[in-house]
Amino acid sequence: MLSSATHRKQDSCNLRQPYQQRASPSPPHSPSLIRFSLDAAYRGSSESEDERGNGDLSDAGELDPLNYETRHARSGRKIPKRFDSEIAPLREGNSIREKVLRSYYPPRWRLWRRRSGTSRSLCLLVLTVLSAILLLFFAGSLWIYNDGAASPYGESEPYYPTPKGGRYAGWTDSFIKAHTLVKQMTLPEKVNVTTGVGWSMEMCVGNTGAVPRLGFPSLCLQDGPLGLRFTDHATAWPAGLTIGATWNKDLMRRRGQAQAVEARLKGINVILGPSMGPLGRMPAGGRNWEGFSPDPVLAGWASSQTVRGIQGEGVIATAKHFVANEQEHFRQAWEWGTPNAISSNVDDRTMHEVYAWPFMDAIGADVGSIMCSYNQVNNSYACQNSKLLNGILKDEFGFQGFVQSDWLAQRSGVASALAGLDMTMPGDGLRWADGRSLWGKELTKAVLNGSVPIDRLNDMVARVVAAWYHMGQDNTLNWPLPPPEGDGGPNFSSWTLNETGLLHPGSNDPTTGIVNKYMDVQNVGGNGSDSHQLLARTIAAEGIVVVENVDNVLPLTRIGWSAEEVLIAEGKAFHVGIFGEDAATNPRGANACEDRGCNVGTLGQGWGSGTAEYPYLISPVEALRQAFNESVSITESTTNNLPSPSVLAHQNLCLVFANSDGGEGYIASGNIKGDRNDLGLQKGGDRLVKHVADHCGRGEAAVVVVIHAVGPVIVEPWIDHPAVKGVILAHLPSQESGSSLADILFGDVNPSGRLPYTVGKSLQDYGPGAQILFNANGLKPQQNFTEGLYIDYRYFDKKEITPRYEFGYGLSYTTFELSDLTIEHVAQNNESFPVGRPVGVPPPSYSMQLPNPREALLPPKFTKIKKYIYPWLDSLSEIKKGRYHYPHGYTWVKPPHPAGGSQGGHPDLWVRAVNVQVHVANTGDIDGAAVVQLYVAFPNDVFDYTWNATHFANCTYNTPNDPLTANETNPLNSFLDAEGRNITSCSTETMDEYNPRVDFPVRVLRGFEKVEVPTGAKRTVAFDINRRDLSYWDVGAQNWRLPEGEFEFSVGFSSRDLPLKAQGRIIGEANGPMRRSSDVQLHDVV
């Protein structure tokens, strides 16, 4: 057998090996340093499935485990026999039970004759009953498969073929370079670029195959949204929810940029972030904290700014998870016991205006990669949903990068390739770390037998390689090649903290080398404003939202007493009580729980794959000890046990810390299994707050409540308590938790955070669609998004529900005033729809000729590593041609989408339509930052007469037997079809369905700016509102329609504090100023 070193030299598609190999394998790693149970971090859909057999599969598309015929006819699986040793003790009479039986009963042969007749009858009866039971069992199993199985293509609308990359000018050079490289690749080399090498086979959580012959390296893909997971000496940034609460576009970009600098220095090519799915339809959703906001505009700005920051440093960003992956329960097949993942059933308009909106923004920002999600969308798995990937992403939105699967989200081979998937991660198949990829050699076979067109494979590879070129990763000064050509590649291991470790931990290969170089990337920004520690602290502070400040209890003074109180205190010590487990660090250490998968100590991150290791964690109690003057007497009780009333009675101020945690579904903490069970404080937090409020200073001292949480929390159990004077929602501040909180508490930083969500008075306030589906409603769990556009504040507005704190709300220590609202119509195109889709540039073309199959054979004298995923075939006999069952609609070539034409959709959508300006003045005593928000109310009388033919299936016409045509238009009250024929009658159901009035939310956020305003100063805030901001998705026309009628533009400080308004039309109006309904409004923020 060849050594590991020989293996790598002979492998023309090997991965980079930037590690020094030891002469002999080192001893096992120290148990104290090994990361235990990392396989659980991505364990999912295939963990409970039957293994696929070793029989040949003629093409990758038939690997779908939910295809009943394929699974059983081709598996070749044999049921192992019981070992003889299992029954040997009874045969030999060695068991105690057997000896007892022998001593009690006579020999069996003596009883046989007398009982033979009875025994035979009894045996027949038993066999009959058993046969009936088995028949019922197998019939039930067949029913489960028939009822629960999903086809490789599902039920979503078909959209084929995949639009090719390289159609738009911004990516032309990158695709030309990619074309030059890809056309030189062999078939196995192309497959290698698209397929991960398997879980924990290399150093990163995801690693592609390499093409060293042509200088194309293995790509390292690493989590995640708030930092570099499984790395050392890297910053743990505040979570996405926290950056959303800053409402600061510049900080959004700088956070992404700093994270990318650290990633590049660690040898990471692709960051698996930002996250904008889940968006936050359900406020208790486990992974909402990884994203930014349930509002698509705020989430869109945060995602696009993050992408710009990351990719400005040459690292590929990944917009994830596409799309409608809104809860953890049932997100994957078998993870929660059902044979299929949940299906998020979303109508077309809601998809465009809500869930896909931030992805559209990310594509407009040039994002290089998009990750498809685990769930189904409209009963088709997201990673093989051609409508989503081919139709919306690549055609309509003009996405030029590559689509990668979430880890084990790929559910088929051929089907996913045809539907638009470009890269499978981590490469394994339907079972976790099984080494049996749905692509790899299966994709090689599928191309050679004609199931997957080679043109599709060429586009898959070109998209990956073009993204690599587009970020400048071919520049060996910034991205040195891996050994032996250079010293590049990842310089850390995701699988051990030891300096030396296995080079292929997921296999049985014992080869070791230096895998961790412990490069400190935290201080690359220096000690100034670009210092990563200072930037993390700034973001955490700006993401803190003060929602209550009764009697101006905040800011605190360092001596405790206020200026007025100090005169009458007569030198008495000020007593401060700090209560709650959330005030202190986990006693076992900040990183004690894998992937932060427990709620112990102060909460700085949620849990799951979107976390990062803390390089340090400054807890609130540590920071408060440093912040208060030595004269202040501090009492600490950092548990959730109720403190003694006698202890509380002596306090002049009580600070109570509580939290609410959640995360990814593969981890459960207590009774929280990913998604939160409710929106309450956890671990007795409400009880603690009420108890402290009752007894602090004998009920007369002020109480300030600090909450760290993964989303909204209900504060109703104690918010009206007269002792509760201050409430702070500190979100997830990560490593600078205590420092950032102290900055706000003591007024070193004037609070400027605003809520990126609504805080209701109960979970029910958010509506039926906001409830987690905890119990499966079928073998294919279904979740219908019937609320449509109405999530978060939009639902509250529609139902006229008064929230506790509205979207966009937050307090400052100063006051602001708005005045002089001006709105100018500047649009050049006042047509209802964007005019004409641009043609774009021709994409590069490749030879359609299939290669010689022999180039796909395993190289001679090549030794494989167990479970490592390779693209080669062992024999040409594996190539078996047959008739592949392509999806319905596969041969219907879709014309270019009218709403497409550039990255992010039609170019007209991004053209400025309205310019809004307003003045904001600081009328208070200290400098501060105002978050000025712009909301738009659409016209009331908008009618949509564009119906598809299906709407009129039950209608009759004045001309008998006239066929219907698609997209018929019916003017109000005349009911004429496209040819002018009068509709004489329709069924009651059709008439009830027909409602031409377009429904709009009361108002929607369309712009925001955070502006620093010194005390006594005034600043001008400007908003450029583009055409998309003023359009709605017309389902019948399949385009963005700019409606006629009067818009209302409202400017203020939250979704329900909008003092300035102006009205005006877009269509039918000449360019110029619009009229105002109010000019000046004082806003007392405190």
Side-chain angles (χ1 to χ4, degrees):
M1 176 178 289
L2 297 178
S3 69
S4 211
T6 307
H7 162 88
R8 288 194 297 275
K9 289 179 182 178
Q10 292 188 350
D11 184 354
S12 66
C13 295
N14 67 339
L15 298 183
R16 53 191 174 192
Q17 301 294 340
Y19 319 108
Q20 177 182 339
Q21 184 177 341
R22 298 295 173 91
S24 60
S26 63
H29 308 308
S30 168
S32 63
L33 293 179
I34 295 177
R35 305 180 194 274
F36 291 106
S37 303
L38 295 185
D39 60 328
Y42 284 100
R43 184 178 298 133
S45 61
S46 57
E47 227 18 42
S48 302
E49 293 184 19
D50 294 337
E51 291 187 10
R52 287 182 285 113
N54 298 320
D56 290 334
L57 300 172
S58 62
D59 61 67
E62 294 183 353
L63 295 174
D64 181 13
L66 306 177
N67 184 316
Y68 180 82
E69 294 179 357
T70 298
R71 183 172 182 174
H72 290 273
R74 293 183 171 272
S75 68
R77 186 169 185 234
K78 296 181 180 179
I79 300 176
K81 297 180 180 179
R82 290 178 64 88
F83 292 108
D84 289 341
S85 60
E86 295 181 22
I87 58 174
L90 289 180
R91 289 179 178 173
E92 298 169 3
N94 293 328
S95 72
I96 295 176
R97 178 175 181 271
E98 181 69 2
K99 292 177 180 178
V100 171
L101 290 175
R102 283 186 178 181
S103 65
Y104 186 80
Y105 292 109
R108 295 177 184 174
W109 64 270
R110 295 180 182 176
L111 302 175
W112 173 253
R113 291 180 181 175
R114 76 179 78 165
R115 297 181 180 175
S116 59
T118 305
S119 298
R120 289 175 183 175
S121 300
L122 183 60
C123 286
L124 288 174
L125 178 61
V126 170
L127 286 174
T128 302
V129 172
L130 288 176
S131 299
I133 292 173
L134 288 173
L135 182 63
L136 288 172
F137 174 78
F138 285 115
S141 300
L142 181 61
W143 174 81
I144 288 175
Y145 260 107
N146 289 337
D147 190 67
S151 77
Y153 305 101
E155 300 173 14
S156 183
E157 176 189 348
Y159 208 105
Y160 299 97
T162 302
K164 294 180 180 178
R167 293 173 294 148
Y168 302 123
W171 282 68
T172 300
D173 290 343
S174 300
F175 271 93
I176 290 174
K177 293 177 182 178
H179 177 261
T180 301
L181 190 69
V182 172
K183 71 180 182 180
Q184 300 177 63
M185 292 184 184
T186 64
L187 175 59
E189 287 171 339
K190 293 175 182 178
V191 170
N192 222 29
V193 172
T194 69
T195 306
V197 298
W199 177 249
S200 67
M201 287 298 173
E202 294 292 340
M203 296 300 102
C204 305
V205 297
N207 307 268
T208 64
V211 188
R213 181 178 66 86
L214 299 175
F216 187 79
S218 165
L219 300 183
C220 167
L221 293 80
Q222 196 75 7
D223 295 301
L226 65 69
L228 307 179
R229 184 185 183 208
F230 296 159
T231 63
D232 56 88
H233 299 88
T235 305
W237 297 96
L241 185 70
T242 306
I243 194 70
T246 70
W247 292 64
N248 189 322
K249 297 175 184 176
D250 183 57
L251 285 183
M252 294 167 181
R253 180 192 58 79
R254 290 174 60 198
R255 172 178 174 266
Q257 181 182 22
Q259 185 179 354
V261 169
E262 296 188 2
R264 179 169 52 81
L265 293 175
K266 285 289 188 181
I268 295 168
N269 302 87
V270 183
I271 289 178
L272 302 178
S275 174
M276 55 280 264
L279 183 67
R281 173 188 185 238
M282 304 167 197
R287 299 185 76 178
N288 292 353
W289 62 272
E290 294 183 33
F292 307 104
S293 170
D295 181 79
V297 171
L298 179 53
W301 269 107
S303 63
S304 61
Q305 288 295 91
T306 302
V307 167
R308 292 184 179 98
I310 292 173
Q311 297 192 166
E313 291 297 323
V315 179
I316 300 172
T318 304
K320 67 178 190 179
H321 308 85
F322 190 73
V323 62
N325 186 180
E326 295 296 313
Q327 70 168 57
E328 291 304 285
H329 282 71
F330 313 112
R331 65 173 185 158
Q332 297 186 72
W334 297 115
E335 187 176 36
W336 300 86
T338 58
N340 274 284
I342 194 169
S343 178
S344 299
N345 302 322
V346 189
D347 68 86
D348 198 28
R349 184 182 174 197
T350 300
M351 178 63 73
H352 282 79
E353 295 186 32
V354 179
Y355 299 99
W357 182 291
F359 289 93
M360 195 175 183
D361 284 337
I363 294 170
D366 215 27
V367 70
S369 177
I370 290 179
M371 180 189 291
C372 51
S373 54
Y374 287 117
N375 58 297
Q376 297 186 74
V377 179
N378 298 333
N379 286 295
S380 294
Y381 277 97
C383 288
Q384 58 201 49
N385 189 313
S386 62
K387 172 63 175 178
L388 290 180
L389 306 186
N390 290 341
I392 293 178
L393 278 187
K394 294 184 176 181
D395 185 6
E396 186 187 325
F397 291 179
F399 176 54
Q400 297 297 286
F402 60 93
V403 176
Q404 59 170 292
S405 71
D406 202 341
W407 270 230
L408 262 67
Q410 185 189 25
R411 305 300 302 164
S412 65
V414 171
S416 59
L418 299 179
L421 185 66
D422 302 304
M423 178 187 290
T424 177
M425 277 290 140
D428 299 286
L430 297 166
R431 181 180 290 274
W432 191 253
D434 63 359
R436 299 177 178 180
S437 182
L438 297 175
W439 281 0
K441 66 183 293 185
E442 301 298 337
L443 181 56
T444 302
K445 290 191 288 186
V447 171
L448 291 173
N449 70 21
S451 300
V452 173
I454 193 168
D455 203 35
R456 172 80 267 265
L457 176 63
N458 288 332
D459 181 62
M460 292 157 61
V461 183
R463 285 175 174 272
V464 177
V465 176
W468 180 73
Y469 277 119
H470 200 61
M471 305 306 155
Q473 294 187 9
D474 58 318
N475 182 342
T476 54
L477 293 178
N478 292 330
W479 296 89
L481 291 172
E485 291 81 7
D487 61 352
N491 50 44
F492 67 94
S493 171
S494 296
W495 320 116
T496 180
L497 294 176
N498 293 332
E499 180 182 15
T500 302
L502 294 170
L503 298 187
H504 309 292
S507 73
N508 59 357
D509 179 20
T511 309
T512 61
I514 294 177
V515 295
N516 279 309
K517 298 182 180 179
Y518 307 119
M519 179 177 287
D520 190 341
V521 297
Q522 301 171 86
N523 299 310
V524 293
N527 297 318
S529 60
D530 290 329
S531 162
H532 288 190
Q533 287 91 338
L534 180 58
L535 180 58
R537 181 171 177 170
T538 300
I539 294 169
E542 287 204 29
I544 291 174
V545 182
V546 178
V547 294
E548 292 288 348
N549 192 16
V550 180
D551 300 332
N552 291 332
V553 67
L554 300 174
L556 305 176
T557 67
R558 282 179 163 74
I559 62 172
W561 303 111
S562 67
E564 296 79 10
E565 292 170 332
V566 72
L567 298 176
I568 60 175
E570 299 178 349
K572 293 180 181 178
F574 188 87
H575 294 268
V576 175
I578 300 173
F579 305 101
E581 180 186 310
D582 187 70
T585 303
N586 185 338
R588 296 190 294 126
N591 295 317
C593 299
E594 194 71 55
D595 287 336
R596 317 295 76 77
C598 64
N599 187 5
V600 180
T602 192
L603 182 62
Q605 308 175 34
W607 70 65
S609 62
T611 59
E613 311 296 309
Y614 287 113
Y616 61 86
L617 174 58
I618 301 174
S619 69
V621 71
E622 291 177 84
L624 290 170
R625 289 191 202 119
Q626 295 293 322
F628 277 113
N629 189 283
E630 291 181 357
S631 64
V632 175
S633 174
I634 300 177
T635 299
E636 300 173 7
S637 176
T638 54
T639 73
N640 280 6
N641 297 328
L642 301 184
S644 162
S646 62
V647 171
L648 291 169
H650 293 90
Q651 308 306 320
N652 301 108
L653 172 71
C654 292
L655 301 173
V656 187
F657 289 81
N659 67 34
S660 183
D661 199 3
E664 196 167 353
Y666 67 85
I667 292 176
S669 178
N671 65 343
I672 311 297
K673 300 177 180 178
D675 303 306
R676 290 186 288 167
N677 298 331
D678 51 48
L679 300 185
L681 294 176
Q682 295 169 3
K683 305 184 76 171
D686 289 324
R687 181 167 166 258
L688 177 65
V689 172
K690 287 188 287 186
H691 177 79
V692 172
D694 285 341
H695 300 286
C696 184
R698 295 182 175 86
E700 297 180 0
V703 174
V704 175
V705 181
V706 179
I707 297 172
H708 293 108
V710 294
V713 291
I714 301 301
V715 298
E716 298 311 300
W718 45 263
I719 192 61
D720 293 324
H721 196 293
V724 175
K725 303 294 186 181
V727 178
I728 294 175
L729 304 184
H731 296 114
L732 299 173
S734 206
Q735 66 184 41
E736 293 285 344
S737 175
S739 302
S740 59
L741 178 64
D743 288 342
I744 296 296
L745 283 173
F746 292 95
D748 299 332
V749 174
N750 193 345
S752 61
R754 302 294 182 261
L755 290 177
Y757 50 72
T758 299
V759 176
K761 296 180 179 180
S762 70
L763 178 56
Q764 288 66 38
D765 282 353
Y766 294 84
Q771 313 305 311
I772 300 290
L773 179 68
F774 288 107
N775 299 305
N777 53 13
L779 295 173
K780 294 183 286 187
Q782 302 290 306
Q783 198 162 64
N784 299 322
F785 288 39
T786 52
E787 74 283 350
L789 310 177
Y790 297 98
I791 64 173
D792 200 74
Y793 71 92
R794 300 177 179 195
Y795 183 84
F796 281 76
D797 291 347
K798 180 181 178 66
K799 298 297 184 180
E800 299 182 341
I801 298 171
T802 301
R804 172 56 63 178
Y805 305 113
E806 70 268 22
F807 175 80
Y809 171 78
L811 301 179
S812 171
Y813 296 154
T814 190
T815 56
F816 298 101
E817 177 185 287
L818 291 172
S819 63
D820 303 323
L821 175 64
T822 61
I823 300 182
E824 184 179 9
H825 177 204
V826 296
Q828 300 301 312
N829 171 21
N830 293 331
E831 301 295 327
S832 295
F833 295 107
V835 177
R837 171 175 170 147
V839 176
V841 297
S845 60
Y846 297 86
S847 171
M848 299 292 288
Q849 184 176 356
L850 289 178
N852 187 329
R854 292 193 170 277
E855 76 175 32
L857 290 175
L858 182 73
K861 298 182 180 180
F862 181 87
T863 302
K864 292 182 179 180
I865 291 177
K866 186 178 181 180
K867 292 189 177 181
Y868 204 99
I869 296 170
Y870 300 101
W872 297 296
L873 307 181
D874 295 312
S875 168
L876 294 181
S877 63
E878 295 182 61
I879 307 170
K880 296 181 179 179
K881 298 202 174 196
R883 183 177 179 183
Y884 182 77
H885 296 284
Y886 290 98
H888 178 71
Y890 180 70
T891 58
W892 306 343
V893 178
K894 293 279 188 177
H897 201 290
S902 70
Q903 293 180 82
H906 197 289
D908 280 2
L909 299 175
W910 303 97
V911 173
R912 187 175 62 157
V914 171
N915 177 256
V916 179
Q917 292 193 9
V918 68
H919 291 151
V920 57
N922 185 339
T923 57
D925 298 328
I926 61 174
D927 299 345
V931 178
V932 184
Q933 303 165 37
L934 170 67
Y935 293 81
V936 172
F938 279 71
N940 289 324
D941 297 324
V942 177
F943 297 91
D944 184 357
Y945 307 112
T946 307
W947 275 16
N948 290 324
T950 53
H951 290 92
F952 298 100
N954 297 318
C955 299
T956 58
Y957 291 79
N958 57 359
T959 304
N961 302 319
D962 280 344
L964 289 173
T965 58
N967 297 325
E968 287 144 341
T969 302
N970 294 266
L972 185 63
N973 297 326
S974 62
F975 291 97
L976 302 179
D977 73 359
E979 299 177 9
R981 299 168 301 180
N982 179 253
I983 300 175
T984 57
S985 64
C986 292
S987 68
T988 302
E989 292 78 7
T990 300
M991 294 306 297
D992 288 343
E993 180 186 357
Y994 181 69
N995 181 5
R997 185 184 296 273
V998 179
D999 191 28
F1000 293 105
V1002 175
R1003 65 185 63 88
V1004 290
L1005 179 72
R1006 284 298 185 257
F1008 64 91
E1009 294 292 339
K1010 174 175 274 192
V1011 55
E1012 296 281 346
V1013 188
T1015 180
K1018 180 184 289 187
R1019 295 286 184 265
T1020 299
V1021 179
F1023 304 93
D1024 285 328
I1025 305 303
N1026 60 42
R1027 182 188 177 96
R1028 184 186 63 153
D1029 293 326
L1030 302 175
S1031 300
Y1032 72 94
W1033 182 253
D1034 187 323
V1035 176
Q1038 284 293 287
N1039 212 333
W1040 293 92
R1041 180 190 287 269
L1042 182 65
E1044 297 184 28
E1046 191 167 78
F1047 289 84
E1048 181 175 80
F1049 299 85
S1050 303
V1051 178
F1053 298 101
S1054 76
S1055 65
R1056 294 201 172 187
D1057 180 12
L1058 300 166
L1060 303 186
K1061 302 180 187 298
Q1063 295 82 29
R1065 295 174 175 268
I1066 305 299
I1067 292 181
E1069 291 288 319
N1071 290 354
M1074 297 180 180
R1075 67 180 184 274
R1076 302 187 296 274
S1077 61
S1078 56
D1079 261 343
V1080 181
Q1081 175 74 34
L1082 178 66
H1083 181 74
D1084 190 353
V1085 183
V1086 176

